[in-house]
């Protein structure tokens, strides 16, 4: 409401109710910190990576341009992460902490007009192909996927449906984690001289798959956590020299992570999943879809960057702030497929999709652009065991 | 007639060759549309089953349909063995398609071999992998290397401008990529600048520019004419189709964001231009002609070639420099002979000064073109010994004598001819090699003649 005074932290006076806006910082005990390691370097076992770093003793601190203040009260400490822009309503206590009575986020950004198609058009979202993993289970499924998209599999009805696919977006982790082969860093040079990196074979395989896809549909390729590109967000596109066969086609587009595009008038925005999984680690939220929705409400794609997630140090403007509301908001490499149509106050409609990792689930997502509906497609071959 | 033929073919593949015949493999092998291949397989299975012949056939099917999972509709596509077909069909709520996936003689334990079969056949046909598919994409036209290098340069130029303005490419609508198509003339010069260090760069550049512009023109025009208008042409091209051919064109809308269309590709360093520059370099016509010949031979092996050429180019330059140095050094020092020829030996295209030298010296010079050294008359430094009566002594004189010999010996002590090029029209690969060999031999003997008496001297004198 407008009757409330919006104050800066330095203007606070004890007992006075007001509203403060600032950035959250969560002081976490279990958060891996380089300083801790250095100070205990002689007898320290480095902290093993935990699935979650939350701890009951975590505290929230609100920072604005000049000061910071501890928060208490009606805030769920476990659900919030560092970097969120937050507005709190309450008053300062005598002991210097701020008692929160109510809070709110930035909420959904402004609405984008809808220019979607009137006929059925589909976009296929796949992530986590995981090539080069050394296990051939998902290879047949990948081939089946390519065959469906290129119109070779299926009867005529299926093929005409596949012909309506106007874009395929590969959302990260095209290579598997096994291709990382970090051992070579520790080994002596003479041992590793002639060995080829595991990712070379995997990239060749990727090139062939992309070539098959590119001959019939435009493909957008986003890099992910295990792909040969830079580590910090925003990840730059894969270099075209790695994909000589497929790069000859203009239907192949190598794009960044995060990625925003207009497909047939529908605005897509998404990442390869590093931002969501990072928030997963530092908050009590377990559901990827929930986290996805939360980032949309908070108005920022990745609040934990650069604190816990590597990110380029932007100092003038933050490109991860959401200014327009996308129509489809996705994240890749989720543990399972989920989707939800979120309705905002301004009549925004956002389709939230968590794309599962293909190498484990053999599932991809097909999004109908006409009505923003989403359907998972799963592929399978048959194995030695019968599980029917 | 035709019907019987394909049945026989399939029969042969399955029973005689004991192959796993998947629909895709059949489609590529017989050159038919995938739907037709599936139909063929189905027909074959039907007939075989009716005949009840002893041969056992195992068939795998592809089933696709919807099923309810976790409360929402999930589409499932699966390859199943025949015995599991009914089970799978019953699991699905609605069935979208069922068709034969493959036929083989042996029972498959798992779907690995199916994948391998498909993988192999696709790998051999990688460049026309969607020829027999049901979906044709009008925009999926592989670009020529000219467009590719154009795309590369515009992207590089674009990345420079982006870094200048400090913008981040992150949540940028992809259409904001720079689409300057008129910049390539600078970039090729930049790359070729490394190679065209020496003289004669001006005519080359002029040549290149016209060439680049010529390439640009078609490049630009193809880019602009890409959108759906082409789909009709593609339609007609594939018009003479089989019965079930489905002409569903996925017309990918190319909305405004496709300004940036040009995407980078192989940095093959303009294979077209590098042979050109080599051609224009004076005094290297044999080598250049040879490279041209190579070009004509294998267009696909461009990458390897360009690598070789790139390697060769700086070495050629080095050699060129070395050659000049060698010519200079000869005037001062005879003993400097071994130095230049040895690197020349190592390099494949060695436009040696030797034939030039030799042909100049010999009055009857026909040997160069033939590529073989026949008899030659040439002047050789020999020591003549005679008795000088007047002074009562024996005199040994070193005299140039004209002598016929079958081996070619190099005479670097002789005058240096200009690096002339009476190279033959037909390039002979053998020729430089032979010359090289002779060079080596000649230098060796020359060395020995100058430095120490060889053991053969016992036989040679007198």
């Amino acid at each position: 409401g407008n009757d409330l005074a919006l104050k800066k932290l330095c203007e606070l006076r004890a007992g006075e109710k007001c509203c403060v806006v600032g950035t959250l910082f969560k002081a976490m005990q279990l958060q891996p910190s380089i300083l801790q390691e250095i100070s205990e370097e002689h007898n320290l076992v480095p902290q093993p990576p935990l699935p979650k770093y939350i701890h009951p003793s975590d505290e929230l601190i609100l920072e604005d341009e000049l000061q910071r203040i501890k928060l208490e009260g009606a805030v769920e400490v476990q659900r919030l992460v560092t970097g969120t822009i937050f507005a709190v309503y309450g008053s300062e206590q005598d002991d210097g902490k701020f008692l929160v009575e109510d809070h709110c986020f930035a909420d959904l950004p402004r609405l984008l007009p809808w220019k979607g198609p009137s006929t059925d058009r589909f976009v296929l979202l796949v992530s986590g192909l995981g090539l080069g993993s050394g296990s051939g289970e998902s290879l047949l499924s990948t081939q089946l996927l390519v065959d469906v998209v290129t119109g070779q599999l299926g009867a005529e009805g299926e093929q005409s449906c596949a012909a309506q696919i106007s874009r395929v977006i590969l959302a990260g982790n095209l290579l598997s984690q096994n291709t990382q082969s970090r051992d070579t860093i520790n080994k002596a040079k003479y041992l590793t001289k002639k060995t080829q990196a595991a990712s070379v074979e995997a990239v060749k395989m990727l090139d062939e798959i992309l070539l098959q896809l590119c001959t019939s549909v435009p493909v957008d390729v986003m890099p992910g956590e295990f792909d040969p590109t830079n580590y910090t967000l925003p990840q730059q596109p894969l270099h075209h020299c790695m994909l000589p066969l497929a790069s000859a086609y203009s239907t192949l587009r190598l794009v960044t992570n995060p990625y925003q595009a207009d497909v047939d008038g529908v605005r897509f925005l998404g990442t390869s999943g590093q931002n969501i999984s990072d928030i997963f680690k530092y908050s009590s939220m377990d559901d990827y879809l929930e986290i996805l929705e939360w980032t949309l409400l908070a108005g920022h794609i990745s609040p934990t960057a650069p604190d816990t997630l590597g990110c380029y140090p932007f100092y003038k403007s933050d490109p991860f702030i959401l200014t327009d509301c996308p129509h489809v908001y996705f994240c890749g490499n989720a543990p399972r497929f989920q989707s939800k149509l979120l309705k905002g106050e301004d009549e925004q409609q956002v389709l939230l999709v968590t794309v599962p990792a293909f190498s484990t689930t053999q599932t991809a997502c097909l999004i109908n652009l006409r009505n923003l509906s989403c359907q998972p497609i799963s592929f399978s071959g048959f194995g030695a065991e019968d599980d029917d | 007639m035709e019907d019987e033929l394909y049945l026989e073919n399939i029969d042969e593949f399955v029973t005689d060759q004991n192959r796993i015949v998947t629909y895709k493999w059949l489609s590529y092998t017989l050159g038919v549309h995938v739907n037709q291949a599936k139909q063929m397989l189905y027909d074959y299975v039907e007939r075989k089953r009716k005949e009840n012949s002893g041969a056992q056939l195992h068939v795998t099917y592809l089933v696709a349909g919807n099923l309810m999972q976790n409360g929402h509709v999930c589409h499932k596509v699966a390859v199943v063995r025949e015995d599991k077909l009914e089970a799978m069909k019953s699991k699905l709520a609605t069935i979208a398609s069922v068709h034969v996936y493959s036929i083989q003689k042996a029972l498959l334990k798992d779907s690995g071999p199916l994948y391998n079969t498909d993988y192999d056949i696709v790998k051999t046909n990688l460049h026309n992998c969607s020829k027999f598919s049901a979906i044709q994409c009008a925009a999926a036209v592989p670009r020529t290397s000219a467009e590719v290098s154009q795309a590369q340069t515009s992207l590089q130029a674009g990345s420079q401008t982006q870094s200048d303005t400090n913008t981040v490419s992150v949540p940028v609508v992809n259409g904001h990529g720079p689409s300057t198509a008129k910049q390539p003339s600078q970039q090729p010069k930049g790359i070729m600048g490394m190679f065209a260090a020496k003289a004669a760069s001006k005519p080359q550049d002029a040549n290149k520019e016209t060439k680049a512009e010529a390439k640009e023109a078609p490049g630009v025009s193809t880019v602009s004419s890409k959108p759906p208008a082409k789909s009709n042409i593609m339609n007609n091209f594939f018009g003479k189709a089989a019965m079930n051919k489905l002409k569903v064109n996925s017309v990918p809308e190319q909305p405004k964001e496709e300004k940036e269309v040009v995407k980078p590709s192989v940095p093959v360093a303009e294979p077209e231009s590098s042979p050109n520059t080599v051609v224009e370099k004076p005094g290297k016509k044999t080598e250049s002609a040879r490279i041209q010949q190579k070009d004509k031979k294998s267009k696909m092996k461009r990458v390897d070639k360009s690598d070789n050429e790139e390697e060769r180019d700086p070495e050629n330059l080095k050699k060129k420099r070395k050659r000049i140095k060698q010519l200079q050094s000869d005037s001062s020092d005879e003993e400097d002979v071994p130095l230049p020829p040895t690197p020349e030996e190592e390099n494949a295209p060695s436009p040696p000064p030797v034939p030039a030298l030799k042909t100049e010296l010999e009055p009857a010079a026909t040997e160069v073109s033939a590529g073989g050294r026949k008899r030659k008359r040439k002047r050789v430094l020999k020591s003549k010994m005679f008795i000088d009566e007047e002074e009562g002594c024996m005199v040994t004189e070193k005299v140039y004598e004209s002598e016929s010999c079958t081996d070619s010996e190099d005479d670097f002590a002789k005058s240096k001819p200009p690096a002339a090029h009476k190279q033959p029209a037909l390039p002979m690969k053998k020729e430089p090699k032979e010359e090289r060999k002779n060079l080596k031999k000649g230098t060796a003997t020359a060395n020995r003649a100058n430095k120490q008496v060889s053991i053969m001297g016992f036989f040679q004198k007198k």
Side-chain angles (χ1 to χ4, degrees), chain A residues 367-379:
Chain A
I367 298 179
N368 188 343
L369 297 180
R370 182 176 55 87
N371 54 10
L372 280 189
S373 65
C374 182
Q375 190 182 59
I377 310 187
S378 56
F379 302 87

Side-chain angles (χ1 to χ4, degrees), chain A residues 150 152 167 234 240 253 264, chain B residues 38 133 170 253 258 264-265:
Chain A
T150 54
Q152 298 186 11
R167 192 77 71 98
H240 60 84
R253 270 201 217 103
D264 290 340
Chain B
K38 294 173 204 163
S133 132
V170 169
E253 327 281 54
E258 300 225 357
S265 176

Side-chain angles (χ1 to χ4, degrees), chain B residues 208-397:
Chain B
K208 231 188 299 99
E209 284 218 69
T210 54
K211 281 212 173 107
E213 277 164 352
K215 283 179 210 166
E216 261 181 56
V220 170
S221 59
T222 49
V223 163
S224 58
S225 70
K226 237 182 257 184
K230 245 191 181 180
S231 56
N232 294 331
I233 305 170
M234 295 287 277
N235 263 337
N236 296 338
F237 182 63
F238 285 96
K240 40 151 186 151
M243 9 181 215
N244 292 341
K245 195 151 193 174
L246 198 66
K247 259 311 115 167
V248 188
N249 279 338
S250 76
V251 179
E253 327 281 54
Q254 316 230 345
K256 304 54 193 181
E257 92 241 25
E258 300 225 357
K259 273 193 302 177
E260 42 60 48
V261 135
V262 281
K263 254 306 158 180
S265 176
V266 190
V268 185
E270 288 98 41
E272 318 267 324
S273 19
S274 62
N276 290 342
T277 58
V278 171
V279 166
E280 259 106 31
K281 280 202 183 111
K284 293 198 176 192
K285 288 216 185 120
T286 46
E287 159 205 1
S288 60
R290 191 157 45 84
I291 292 176
Q292 277 178 355
Q293 203 186 33
K294 259 203 211 166
D295 273 352
K296 286 175 210 149
K297 275 188 202 156
S298 56
K299 289 249 158 115
M300 295 302 279
K301 305 248 188 315
R302 234 178 233 152
V303 181
D304 300 337
K305 238 194 302 134
S306 70
D307 284 345
N308 290 340
E309 284 162 347
E310 281 172 40
E311 283 167 37
R312 268 186 263 129
D313 272 344
E315 284 172 3
N316 284 343
L317 288 175
K318 266 194 285 171
K319 246 198 300 118
K320 210 178 176 184
R321 280 183 235 130
K322 275 208 182 126
R323 190 150 38 103
I324 296 171
K325 225 185 8 175
Q326 163 213 316
L327 296 174
Q328 288 167 1
S329 69
D330 271 336
S331 58
S332 54
D333 197 2
E334 283 178 11
E335 257 88 42
D336 232 353
V337 154
L339 173 58
T342 36
E344 280 187 52
E345 287 164 31
E346 289 154 10
N347 294 326
S350 52
V354 178
L357 285 165
K358 270 190 250 164
T359 50
E360 276 239 337
L361 298 167
E362 291 143 59
T366 52
E367 301 72 337
V368 181
S369 54
R373 292 281 122 64
K374 305 281 162 57
R375 297 204 170 266
K376 258 194 221 183
R377 300 202 67 79
K378 62 180 199 227
R379 285 197 283 154
V380 180
L381 192 64
K382 290 248 151 153
S383 31
K384 281 204 153 312
M385 208 161 60
F386 57 88
I387 299 178
D388 189 357
E389 291 296 341
E390 282 178 50
E391 304 191 38
C393 60
M394 288 173 73
V395 177
T396 311
E397 244 180 24

Side-chain angles (χ1 to χ4, degrees), chain A residues 143 147 150-152 154-155 159 163 167 208 234 240 247-248 253-255 262 264 314 319 376-380 382, chain B residues 24 35 38 75 77 79 96-97 99 111 123 126 133-134 137 143 168 170-171 174 248 250 253 257-258 263-265:
Chain A
Q143 191 60 46
D147 286 345
T150 54
Q152 298 186 11
Q159 286 170 346
R167 192 77 71 98
E208 283 160 16
H240 60 84
S247 302
R253 270 201 217 103
L254 299 165
V255 297
D262 280 323
D264 290 340
F314 302 107
I377 310 187
S378 56
F379 302 87
S380 64
F382 52 88
Chain B
K24 207 194 276 190
N35 288 346
K38 294 173 204 163
H75 195 80
V77 177
V79 177
S97 57
H99 66 79
S111 36
K123 194 123 190 224
L126 214 42
S133 132
C137 176
R143 295 183 289 194
V168 183
V170 169
N174 238 7
V248 188
S250 76
E253 327 281 54
E257 92 241 25
E258 300 225 357
K263 254 306 158 180
S265 176

Side-chain angles (χ1 to χ4, degrees), chain A residues 205-221:
Chain A
M205 231 192 297
L206 177 69
D207 196 20
E208 283 160 16
I209 291 180
L210 283 180
L211 177 67
Q212 292 174 51
L213 279 178
C214 282
T215 50
S216 51
V217 72
V219 184
D220 294 345
V221 183

